[in-house]
Structures are given as structure tokens and as C-alpha cells.
Amino acid sequence: MRAFVVGSLLAYVVVVLAALGLRSRGYALFRAVGLGLHTAFAVALYPLVAPVAPLFIYLHATVFLHSLCLVRPRMRSLAYRALVSIPGAFFAAGTLLALPWVVLRTFGFSPFGVWLPYLLALIGIVQSLTSRREIVDLVIGDGQDVRGVRRMGGSRARATRPLRIVQITDPHLGPFMSVQRLRRICERALARQPDLVFLTGDFLTMESQGDPALLGDALLPLGALSGRVFACRGNHDHEAPETVARALSQAGVRLLVNETVDVDTEAGPVQVLGIDFVWQNRQLYLEQVCREHPRTPGRLRLVLLHDPGAFKHLPPGEADLVLSGHTHGGQVGLLSLGLSWTMLRVLMNAPDHGFWARGTDRLYVHRGTGHYGFPLRLGVPAEESLLRVHALSFAKAAPGT
């Protein structure tokens, strides 16, 4: 036990000092807090895991090694991700989920079932490395005027020819989202024969920010849909804006930074407005962007807006449909069990996933392709969906609807 504690403290000091000396004060502070909590939890749990102590020590070490390597972040090999990054994420998540066991240990108890949070983390690993493929029907322009921001139920109304959209959001190119995996996602998107493809931000992680060729190579298949692929920026894209811009240009994707474009599709004429991400004064900002880019008469108006929390600030009537991401669908929740609950909805009163309304405007919050922040997804699968948009006010309804 003593050796485990001393080794953990030494590793903690090495990572924090390396972060401070070789990267930045902000990263050092981030690691000091995060690794401090992780170390305290792991030390409390160690006496409960005697039968698998060597495995526990190895996984504990991967957390420190991955944190140390991020002092000089770059995309790593498959072997590194398989032996360090992914095991580290698994162990960090499981140890955080073990908080109830840590509390009981603090009060002198020796609780059973310490394996349970790590079983949940193992499920999270599977969900973080896979996506759920879906077809989603969205009915807009039906005349319903909804008070406040509310989740919308399903509707059986259908247009004769819906607009077919594939949205890719929050890929967060990094340990869980390799260039090859994102490229396969783009290839599957093309196979669904969409009218339009939208990328709604947060493309990178620390590991992928330095090389625009990585994201450009991953998105390259989308070049086959020249003139029909558009993107907006998310919050993380402001950490490396030139990398994102160069990569999107390399892949033939048009980045819309407070810009509009008119597109003619087989489902009818569309206007796309891409709004940049901002943290402050969002209502004034959105009002100004909409004033500068008014609706084109007779066209369906689609707005790319990374953060769905800004939907409530959009001037009423400015969007037939807003497409957002940012939340990763809530990332931790019970969607896999058929329930809509997510941790995000508990912590914040903002749309987390799915179809929402305010007034006559509609919002779709994509669950995301990748994830970031909390080490894993859990109960909220990543999304690869084909959106069929039934714009009733712009198209004929299908017979019998």
C-alpha cells in the first residue's frame, strides 16, 4: 500500500511539473486538479482490489503516462492508443464512477462490488468506439407554435420528397476517433445519398490540432459531393482555427463563418446560414448575424449553430431548422435503455439530444460522432443518422398524410 501511494504521488508531481515547465500553466492546473482527484480515489480503492492489484497498478499508470505525453500532444499509433490512451480513459472513467465506494471507504467501510463502476466503464469503451446508424424523420413547417423551448414528439406527416441530410458533428479527432474511423464515417455518409452534408463543429482534440493534413485526409471522401457540404465552427475550433480552415478547404468543404449560401436540391431550394460560436452576448450576436443575412424568399432556411444552448437566443422565425451538436447527446445517460434522461439535462436546462421546438422554429441536436471531456460515452451512443426533413410548408404532403 505504501509503495502504491508513494509511486502515485511521484507520478503526480512529475506530470504537473512537466506540464508547467514544458507546456502551460493552464494545462498544469488542469492536470493538477484532475489527477489529484484521480489519485485520491485510486488510493482509497486500492485496498479493495488485492486480487487484481497488478492490473490496477498498470491501468493507474496509463492515466499518468497519457497525461504526461499530452505535454507534447500529437496523434499516436494504434499500439499506443490500444495500450495507453484507451486503457487510461477506461480506468479514469471507472475510478470517477467509483465515487460512492470512495465515500464509503472514507468512513471506514469496506464495500463490495467495486468492480461495478469498471464494468460500466467497459461498456462505455464499446460505446465510445462505435456508432448507432439511424434514419430520423423530422417534420417542420407544420404550423405548430410552441411556447418556450420544448422537446418535440414524433409526427406521421410526410412530404412527397423529403430533404435528405447527413450531419457529422463533434468528431474530436483523437484517441477514440482515428483518421481511418472518421474516413469510414464519411464514406458511409456518401453511401446514404444525401442532398446535403453538414459538419457542425468541434473537429479536433489536443492530439490533432497541430496537423491540418489529419482532418483533411479524414474528410476527403466528402469531396465527391462538391458544392453540397458545408460546415460551421464549434468552441474547440477556435483553439486551432487555421488548422480547421485548411483541413476543410483541403477536403472540399465550405466553411460558413456568419455566411449564407443558396443551394438547389432535388427536394427544393435551400438557404444555409452558418453561425460562428461565441460564448458571450449571444442574443445580440445572433440578432446581428440574422440582420446581416436575411432569409431568401421561397427557400427553406437551415441554420448551422454548434451550441444548441444558443437556440433560445435566435430571433424568432429565423430558422425553419437549426442543426446543432456540442452536447455529445448528453454523453452520459439512459438512451441505450430507451429513455431520454441524460446527466446534462440534470445539470443544465438546455437541449441535449433529439428534436426540439420554440415558436415555429425547430432544432435538431445530433448526439455527435465522437466525444471529449468526460473520458467515455456511457448510455448515450454516438450517432450516424440520415435526417429526412419533411418541410410541409415548402413541399407537397405525401398521399394519405
Side-chain angles (χ1 to χ4, degrees):
M1 178 66 187
R2 181 183 177 126
F4 181 80
V5 173
V6 172
S8 297
L9 291 176
L10 285 175
Y12 173 82
V13 170
V14 167
V15 172
V16 173
L17 289 180
L20 183 61
L22 299 176
R23 185 164 177 185
S24 68
R25 181 179 298 179
Y27 183 69
L29 179 61
F30 169 70
R31 286 302 173 196
V33 174
L35 285 179
L37 288 172
H38 171 80
T39 302
F41 284 20
V43 166
L45 296 171
Y46 185 71
L48 302 176
V49 298
V52 292
L55 178 61
F56 192 88
I57 292 170
Y58 165 70
L59 292 169
H60 186 53
T62 63
V63 176
F64 288 103
L65 179 57
H66 183 60
S67 300
L68 182 62
C69 288
L70 284 177
V71 170
R72 287 287 183 263
R74 62 183 176 85
M75 288 289 279
R76 306 281 175 172
S77 67
L78 176 60
Y80 176 89
R81 288 185 283 120
L83 295 174
V84 178
S85 300
I86 294 175
F90 158 76
F91 190 69
T95 303
L96 284 172
L97 293 171
L99 175 60
W101 284 262
V102 172
V103 172
L104 289 172
R105 282 285 301 154
T106 302
F107 286 97
F109 296 98
S110 296
F112 295 102
V114 71
W115 52 269
L116 181 58
Y118 294 100
L119 176 60
L120 292 175
L122 185 61
I123 295 171
I125 285 288
V126 174
Q127 292 192 316
S128 299
L129 291 170
T130 57
S131 303
R132 181 185 290 176
R133 300 174 202 175
E134 307 169 16
I135 296 177
V136 180
D137 288 293
L138 305 177
V139 177
I140 65 176
D142 56 3
Q144 289 190 64
D145 193 344
V146 177
R147 180 176 298 180
V149 177
R150 294 173 48 192
R151 194 184 299 275
M152 288 288 287
S155 170
R156 294 185 179 181
R158 296 291 184 265
T160 303
R161 172 53 165 92
L163 179 68
R164 296 167 61 89
I165 294 173
V166 169
Q167 182 183 357
I168 299 173
T169 191
D170 299 85
H172 289 296
L173 199 64
F176 284 90
M177 183 62 67
S178 66
V179 170
Q180 293 76 19
R181 181 184 173 193
L182 184 53
R183 183 180 295 164
R184 289 193 296 269
I185 289 170
C186 292
E187 290 169 350
R188 289 194 291 268
L190 295 184
R192 306 186 91 158
Q193 299 181 317
D195 298 303
L196 299 167
V197 174
F198 295 130
L199 313 177
T200 47
D202 276 9
F203 298 98
L204 306 174
T205 60
M206 295 180 194
E207 291 92 333
S208 56
Q209 287 180 358
D211 186 356
L214 296 170
L215 179 62
D217 288 347
L219 299 178
L220 204 56
L222 298 180
L225 285 179
S226 179
R228 291 190 283 158
V229 187
F230 304 96
C232 69
R233 294 195 297 199
N235 50 303
H236 287 288
D237 301 320
H238 285 266
E239 298 170 10
E242 293 183 4
T243 298
V244 170
R246 286 178 58 190
L248 293 175
S249 177
Q250 176 184 331
V253 178
R254 180 170 174 181
L255 176 61
L256 300 176
V257 182
N258 300 333
E259 300 174 75
T260 56
V261 60
D262 290 343
V263 188
D264 292 323
T265 75
E266 292 185 14
V270 175
Q271 181 190 38
V272 183
L273 168 61
I275 301 181
D276 202 9
F277 179 89
V278 295
W279 282 114
Q280 298 178 331
N281 301 319
R282 291 190 291 181
Q283 182 172 340
L284 293 175
Y285 184 81
L286 293 174
E287 288 174 352
Q288 179 179 344
V289 172
C290 290
R291 279 198 304 270
E292 294 174 352
H293 301 281
R295 279 178 171 272
T296 301
R299 288 183 177 269
L300 181 70
R301 171 112 147 171
L302 305 178
V303 174
L304 310 184
L305 182 66
H306 176 72
D307 180 9
F311 176 60
K312 64 183 179 183
H313 299 298
L314 193 70
E318 284 291 345
D320 297 305
L321 178 64
V322 175
L323 296 167
S324 295
H326 186 60
T327 64
H328 312 156
Q331 193 160 327
V332 177
L334 300 177
L335 273 67
S336 296
L337 301 178
L339 304 175
S340 64
W341 180 92
T342 69
M343 183 63 72
L344 182 65
R345 282 292 288 173
V346 173
L347 299 175
M348 299 175 60
N349 185 28
D352 51 355
H353 62 85
F355 196 34
W356 295 75
R358 185 215 56 183
T360 58
D361 298 331
R362 299 295 182 262
L363 164 72
Y364 185 74
V365 186
H366 192 285
R367 295 195 307 272
T369 313
H371 71 277
Y372 207 36
F374 185 75
L376 302 173
R377 286 181 174 272
L378 184 58
V380 181
E383 178 177 351
E384 287 185 56
S385 58
L386 172 67
L387 305 180
R388 297 191 299 205
V389 180
H390 302 269
L392 301 185
S393 57
F394 287 85
K396 291 182 179 179
T401 63

